Amino acid sequence: MMRVEDNTIVAGGHGTDLSFPSLPVDILLHVLSYLSVLDILSLRTTAKPMYTLTRMHAVWYNVMLFEVLPMDIPIPGLYSRDMSSLSASDLEHMIVRALRLRKNWLSPSPRKIKRTEIVPLPEEESRDTLRGAVIRFLPGRGNRYLLTVTGHTNFSRRRYTVQCWDLEASGGPKRVAVRRFTEIVSVAVNCDPHASGVLSVTCKVEGNESVQPATFIHALDLDSPDQNPEYAFKYLNHFPGCRRLHIFNGSLLVGTNESDAVRVWDVTTGKVLYELRDPTVVQPSVCVNAVFLEDTNFLILFRTISLEVYMLPHSSSSPSMSSPSSSPPLVSPDSGLQVVHPVVLHKWQWRIDSVSVSFQMKSRQRYTSRLNTSATTAKGKGRQYEPTTMHLFMRFDSWFPWPVNLLHHFVLHPNPSYIPGPKSLTVPPSASPITTKTHTLFPSLLNPLTDLPYLATPDQTPTLVSSLSSTVRLFAPSDMVLGEWGTALWLDTQTEMWGVSGELGQRIAGRVVVPSGSGPSRGVSMTDPEGRLVGTSEVAGHDADAEAADVNVIDNPPSTLGSSFASATRQVPPAQTASMTFGIRDAGASRKSEDDDEVANMGGVVVTGAGRGGADEWMHLGLDEEGGRIVVGRNGGRVEIWEYV
């Protein structure tokens, strides 16, 4: 029989010692399974045997598996690492950091632990007017690499510098790749981290008679750390016709041409595969976003007036999705391209200006490959796509030069009767679409009740969960991003306490619109960075409007189609405000010193002076929830990284 004695775990025989440390290890581990994290850390300080016990790998692995993961919160530093291969101290460190990050992240004024500034082109700041254009994390690499695009305005034809930064390099962010372009129109980063092409850039290219857009595809070599950054981007291909890029996934690129027609390109050949068109309209509306559904040939387009679901005849990631028995392709008489119609669409009540999309997923699903258990390994083999709740964070458009001063959170629940598997699109002849006020089902031999992941019936429509006040001053920059863990982050000019725009200044605010999990069965307590006790509810930090929607929308999605689905998802809470304010920039604030921008506190929020670049210096946002980081692109080309753990 094993027991804990002094600093080692030894075998012991029968005896009369009935002290707690003398109990068998399996019983001690079972007892510890009922303790909170704070209780485990407190128990460690009572005796040497307890110190040894609480340092065991099994203790923290169980805490991670049964307590932290059910909370559905990001775990900093885990990324693609295998949990079973981590030491006990590594697991303990990750758990403590995850709980402290969640506490800080969900506070009304999250406290920046560290602020780092990237100066993309220090040698050119004094002689050129720079402007930050794009900031993007490279997917699938633990958000280690950040892509920045900086514009040079002192040229007749504007030049741009694209750079890739290693944020985890020793000594601070290090530039690992750089390439220069002229007249960039649009940029997209490949969603598939395993694809050869990483970056797609559309530029204006001068032809014999006119200027035409051309898209350039580049690979990125990150495996040679000692190479010259000038040679890290590798040219692969280029082709004409694409003006605005929407999504780059694998070998497929979705974008619009000069006539706002949405097309799909194969980047390896540069050829147009399909043109995506709604046959019910003559003039296509503008496409503002697009997403591929993982491991399927479904593509969702977000236009200004509609949400459209397409099933592409071909999927590069899964060729078996297409079938030779499909109907002959429809060819456009104007362009000669194969035309694909949506299988279903939803019309918005108002025109939308912009939208960010996130799919709700449990921590166990996100970290399945990291658990390395027999159950998860067996489940991962031959895994088929299962649709999850889609969260939409959007701003509607208006007839004025600025969008509506409200942000809206919609949820779109998946079709509960959807059956995964290969599907082919066959259009029956002489068939008409089935149309209601906001829902249109186009003719095909698909069974909508089992073959469509979303919008299977007129009742399965996006449901408004909350509306958030977010005013934007005329001509002021604005941006928003919705993270995969449910954090909505936005940039606006609502700097006044009563919810209106100030004459000058900017605000970076946020709200967790996707609720955390139900949490562990026992209370997970932790201390905040100042050492104060943090309870489970504070750590999990359920959002107010998310909790209001939990009862009918999030935790209890209906299991049947029809009216029950509609009635269960029609509750609309009143308008809300931001629950987290990460920063306020006040152009009228005076500096404390030449090197310190932070000048005052307004309700616990650090107010920053105007500095270089004027009042509207913040331009773009980037979000890394798992690492507890926010990236802010500034007007002068500089980039700030705010860390909260």
Side-chain angles (χ1 to χ4, degrees):
M1 183 178 296
M2 303 296 293
R3 67 176 185 174
V4 177
E5 184 175 295
D6 295 330
N7 289 326
T8 60
I9 301 175
V10 300
H14 298 283
T16 58
D17 187 3
L18 298 179
S19 63
F20 183 71
S22 67
L23 295 175
V25 172
D26 54 347
I27 295 180
L28 291 174
L29 293 177
H30 182 72
V31 172
L32 262 63
S33 68
Y34 291 92
L35 301 183
S36 68
V37 174
L38 182 61
D39 291 336
I40 294 175
L41 296 178
S42 299
L43 181 64
R44 174 180 296 173
T45 63
T46 59
K48 288 184 178 180
M50 295 298 99
Y51 179 89
T52 302
L53 177 67
T54 57
R55 289 286 185 182
M56 292 181 62
H57 183 274
V59 173
W60 295 104
Y61 188 78
N62 287 336
V63 171
M64 176 73 80
L65 201 62
F66 300 109
E67 303 302 324
V68 178
L69 290 184
M71 295 172 66
D72 292 327
I73 62 176
I75 303 173
L78 182 57
Y79 296 119
S80 59
R81 302 172 67 181
D82 182 4
M83 286 188 193
S84 61
S85 66
L86 297 174
S87 65
S89 60
D90 287 339
L91 282 172
E92 178 185 342
H93 182 63
M94 285 185 180
I95 291 171
V96 171
R97 292 186 75 219
L99 298 180
R100 285 181 172 171
L101 169 61
R102 199 61 173 177
K103 166 65 177 178
N104 188 24
W105 192 261
L106 295 178
S107 63
S109 304
R111 184 171 67 93
K112 286 195 289 285
I113 306 300
K114 183 180 179 181
R115 174 183 173 273
T116 305
E117 186 176 57
I118 297 177
V119 184
L121 301 167
E123 69 282 357
E124 299 186 24
E125 278 192 339
S126 59
R127 64 176 184 269
D128 196 358
T129 303
L130 304 178
R131 184 180 182 88
V134 176
I135 51 175
R136 295 282 191 277
F137 282 104
L138 296 187
R141 298 167 176 87
N143 287 337
R144 175 175 178 173
Y145 297 99
L146 181 70
L147 192 78
T148 64
V149 180
T150 308
H152 308 249
T153 60
N154 291 357
F155 297 92
S156 57
R157 297 193 65 203
R158 183 168 296 182
R159 300 178 183 177
Y160 292 85
T161 301
V162 179
Q163 300 176 91
C164 182
W165 302 85
D166 183 356
L167 302 183
E168 298 181 9
S170 58
K174 175 185 176 182
R175 186 176 70 173
V176 295
V178 59
R179 193 172 185 90
R180 293 167 179 83
F181 296 87
T182 302
E183 294 285 354
I184 288 182
V185 178
S186 185
V187 175
V189 178
N190 204 325
C191 301
D192 183 0
H194 306 293
S196 57
V198 173
L199 176 68
S200 59
V201 179
T202 295
C203 304
K204 293 181 180 179
V205 178
E206 290 186 349
N208 295 331
E209 298 180 355
S210 62
V211 177
Q212 298 293 335
T215 301
F216 297 83
I217 308 299
H218 288 79
L220 179 58
D221 182 11
L222 297 174
D223 298 326
S224 305
D226 297 329
Q227 73 173 342
N228 189 327
E230 297 280 351
Y231 304 110
F233 282 112
K234 312 291 185 181
Y235 167 82
L236 296 179
N237 194 11
H238 78 279
F239 46 88
C242 184
R243 180 178 63 87
R244 183 179 180 184
L245 308 176
H246 297 299
I247 187 169
F248 185 16
N249 185 45
S251 63
L252 299 182
L253 180 67
V254 180
T256 53
N257 64 2
E258 295 288 348
S259 303
D260 284 328
V262 180
R263 294 177 176 177
V264 181
W265 280 264
D266 183 345
V267 299
T268 58
T269 62
K271 295 182 178 180
V272 179
L273 299 179
Y274 323 107
E275 183 173 313
L276 309 181
R277 183 187 302 174
D278 176 7
T280 62
V281 297
V282 178
Q283 179 65 31
S285 58
V286 177
C287 180
V288 296
N289 203 348
V291 294
F292 280 97
L293 299 187
E294 183 182 6
D295 298 325
T296 72
N297 52 346
F298 283 106
L299 170 67
I300 300 180
L301 289 188
F302 296 88
R303 298 184 188 265
T304 55
I305 63 172
S306 61
L307 183 158
E308 303 170 0
V309 180
Y310 290 85
M311 191 172 73
L312 302 183
H314 166 74
S315 174
S316 60
S317 60
S318 182
S320 62
M321 289 296 182
S322 59
S323 172
S325 62
S326 299
S327 59
L330 177 65
V331 178
S332 170
D334 300 327
S335 61
L337 301 175
Q338 180 178 350
V339 176
V340 178
H341 293 161
V343 291
V344 65
L345 67 79
H346 167 77
K347 288 190 177 295
W348 300 111
Q349 187 174 2
W350 299 283
R351 294 173 60 90
I352 63 174
D353 175 77
S354 53
V355 59
S356 293
V357 186
S358 178
F359 292 89
Q360 182 175 347
M361 189 180 297
K362 300 296 184 182
S363 290
R364 286 183 179 272
Q365 294 173 293
R366 296 180 189 272
Y367 294 127
T368 293
S369 60
R370 283 79 146 179
L371 296 177
N372 195 25
T373 61
S374 57
T376 57
T377 302
K379 186 177 180 180
K381 295 181 179 179
R383 182 179 63 90
Q384 290 183 315
Y385 167 76
E386 296 180 3
T388 60
T389 300
M390 185 189 307
H391 292 263
L392 311 176
F393 198 62
M394 66 177 63
R395 190 186 293 272
F396 286 110
D397 202 354
S398 70
W399 297 110
F400 300 100
W402 60 88
V404 175
N405 292 325
L406 285 174
L407 292 170
H408 304 278
H409 171 214
F410 284 80
V411 294
L412 177 59
H413 286 291
N415 175 15
S417 301
Y418 175 75
I419 299 177
K423 298 172 177 60
S424 61
L425 182 62
T426 304
V427 180
S430 304
S432 301
I434 303 174
T435 303
T436 62
K437 184 177 181 180
T438 61
H439 184 274
T440 301
L441 181 65
F442 290 89
S444 70
L445 296 185
L446 294 176
N447 182 355
L449 298 183
T450 58
D451 294 340
L452 294 183
Y454 298 96
L455 302 176
T457 69
D459 297 316
Q460 296 186 29
T461 58
T463 304
L464 179 63
V465 175
S466 63
S467 297
L468 308 173
S469 174
S470 173
T471 56
V472 180
R473 189 172 53 250
L474 183 63
F475 303 130
S478 64
D479 196 11
M480 67 177 181
V481 59
L482 180 59
E484 61 179 6
W485 292 92
T487 299
L489 187 72
W490 63 91
L491 169 66
D492 59 22
T493 58
Q494 186 172 306
T495 56
E496 302 295 339
M497 302 301 291
W498 45 86
V500 297
S501 289
E503 295 182 1
L504 296 171
Q506 294 175 285
R507 179 186 70 159
I508 297 177
R511 192 175 186 90
V512 176
V513 297
V514 179
S516 302
S518 57
S521 56
R522 65 174 185 264
V524 175
S525 300
M526 193 57 237
T527 55
D528 65 8
E530 287 74 34
R532 295 188 296 269
L533 181 64
V534 179
T536 302
S537 60
E538 294 175 299
V539 172
H542 283 215
D543 182 54
D545 63 312
E547 283 186 345
D550 272 354
V551 176
N552 288 330
V553 178
I554 304 297
D555 288 336
N556 298 295
S559 57
T560 59
L561 301 175
S563 59
S564 60
F565 190 102
S567 62
T569 57
R570 286 299 184 270
Q571 178 176 339
V572 180
Q576 304 285 341
T577 58
S579 60
M580 301 106 72
T581 302
F582 292 92
I584 292 178
R585 188 168 192 83
D586 185 2
S590 59
R591 292 176 179 266
K592 288 190 297 183
S593 67
E594 292 295 325
D595 300 324
D596 190 1
D597 280 354
E598 297 179 350
V599 298
N601 272 274
M602 180 185 296
V605 181
V606 175
V607 181
T608 306
R612 61 191 312 277
D616 295 334
E617 184 171 349
W618 291 339
M619 302 292 293
H620 306 285
L621 298 177
L623 179 61
D624 174 19
E625 292 173 285
E626 202 165 356
R629 294 182 292 193
I630 290 176
V631 181
V632 182
R634 291 164 52 177
N635 188 25
R638 297 192 177 192
V639 177
E640 295 181 7
I641 303 172
W642 300 350
E643 300 183 32
Y644 294 87
V645 61

